[in-house]
Amino acid sequence: MSKIKRFVKVKRTALVLVILLSLVIQVPLLAQTDGAMSFIVANDWRYKTSGQFGGPEFFRGALLKIKEVGKGRFMLSPGDVSPMRDSRKLIAEVLGEDYLWYPSVGNHEMPEDGPYLEYFREWNKGGTSLPHIVRKGPPGSEETTYSFEIGDCHIAVINEYYDGESDHGMDGNVVPELLEWLEEDLKNTDKPHIFVAGHEPMVALPDMDNGRIRHQGDSMDKYPENNFKFYQLLKKYDVDAYFHGHTHCTSIGKINGVWQVTAGHTYGLERQTPDYLFQDAKDYLNAHSGSGLSEEQLLEKYFYAVRTYNIKKSLYYTNMTGGVDYHDLQDEPALKHFIEFYQKYKNDPELQKKYIETFDERSYQTRSTFLKVYLKNDQIKIDVYRDDARGGKYQLMHTYFIN
């Protein structure tokens, strides 16, 4: 194929995926759920499981609500759920040791973020350790790509960072080797409900409540030819829906006949608000009041005892970093900004209000979310539970009937 023809082909497939955005529909409907099989979809909570992030304003709050509304047969988690040991421990604590959990690999499970892939491989050792596995992944991704069947449901869980040889060689793609595995998997199931789950979207869609959009153009759509082939496979084998995370937004849309379900994030409190940050630091200071250290010394110990990245984010959105983005902010100036923030916040009620207003205006927080999916005969109902974007309790906010 000539370079000109190849260029035209790539541009055409990219254009198709752009056009898909204009064909999205989101129509809330109701369905009966008596006697229906159900499961949970939750993802992208990462480290919000223990320590200072172990409270109900984080992932624990979602689990408590899941326990209340019914945990279903299993939880499907399309990526960014590490550290997995902490995640599994908390899930087991709230929902039971025998509760089934099926995670997929996300971009924050890659080696540059830590040794998280090792636990994924252990979790599904040999590719068949998880209950109800029907097919292990292709060579190089035997344990991080798999399919399983429960009841009337077949789910293929794919690792989009698999490069055909290694399970961590790509940046979000469906390479030919993965597409070949997926087609073989889909054509060999006779279950009436078929789903595929992976971390990144075919096309990023806006959040259903605040319109926020992230990772458009740098997800699977970065590789338009493979992305279009993936879409064609889902269409060819009548896949009911593709579940994914990554964008931290929630949307349910039909794209040229294929449902894409964006499951948002289950962080709980997405970013530490000024009032939360101050109170958490104050609690730390009170707990260590007998140490003989000064306030500034204790604030320094607190700063390095927790994730400095999150403090930097809070300071940035409170406009306390001199305009330096939290990704670029070094620890030493961040610590100085943090001490200044704490001392001003505790002494000036009017400034407290200003900090909170500034944070709300700049942070554009998105509600934390989990989905409960019901299957009954040929019906698929999805209940969307969301918090208030400030770590509050989850409520049923939307219901969709997707076929």
Side-chain angles (χ1 to χ4, degrees), residues 36-41 62-75 94-95 99 370-374 383 385:
M37 172 183 160
S38 65
F39 62 90
I40 299 297
V41 183
L63 293 176
L64 292 171
K65 187 66 176 183
I66 289 168
K67 183 177 182 180
E68 177 187 323
V69 303
K71 62 186 180 180
R73 297 283 295 276
F74 59 88
M75 179 186 291
V94 179
L95 300 181
Y99 184 59
F370 70 84
L371 311 176
K372 185 168 184 180
V373 182
Y374 297 89
D383 283 344
Y385 290 86

Side-chain angles (χ1 to χ4, degrees), residues 75-79 81 84 101-105 120 123 130 144 146 157:
M75 179 186 291
L76 177 68
S77 297
V81 296
M84 281 186 66
W101 180 41
Y102 296 95
S104 75
V105 172
F120 263 90
W123 184 242
L130 286 171
T144 55
Y146 57 91
V157 178

Side-chain angles (χ1 to χ4, degrees), residues 85-214:
R85 286 185 176 87
D86 291 343
S87 296
R88 181 55 197 164
K89 182 179 179 181
L90 183 57
I91 291 169
E93 176 188 332
V94 179
L95 300 181
E97 290 283 348
D98 59 348
Y99 184 59
L100 297 175
W101 180 41
Y102 296 95
S104 75
V105 172
N107 60 301
H108 287 292
E109 270 79 50
M110 294 298 99
E112 56 266 28
D113 275 40
Y116 302 132
L117 267 177
E118 295 174 12
Y119 191 87
F120 263 90
R121 295 169 186 143
E122 291 174 17
W123 184 242
N124 188 30
K125 192 171 184 179
T128 56
S129 295
L130 286 171
H132 308 291
I133 294 286
V134 295
R135 195 156 183 264
K136 66 180 180 180
S141 187
E142 294 93 342
E143 296 153 325
T144 55
T145 293
Y146 57 91
S147 63
F148 67 96
E149 294 182 345
I150 296 178
D152 288 338
C153 179
H154 176 97
I155 300 182
V157 178
I158 60 174
N159 176 0
E160 295 160 358
Y161 305 93
Y162 169 61
D163 65 0
E165 296 180 359
S166 165
D167 60 7
H168 60 275
M170 283 302 299
D171 59 350
N173 191 7
V174 277
V175 295
E177 293 86 351
L178 184 57
L179 290 168
E180 182 180 346
W181 179 91
L182 182 59
E183 178 158 28
E184 190 67 20
D185 180 71
L186 295 177
K187 74 181 183 183
N188 282 294
T189 182
D190 59 0
K191 294 296 183 181
H193 291 294
I194 304 173
F195 303 98
V196 175
H199 186 57
E200 299 194 9
M202 292 184 286
V203 179
L205 301 178
D207 183 81
M208 60 174 59
D209 286 317
N210 71 2
R212 180 186 182 192
I213 189 164
R214 301 177 71 244

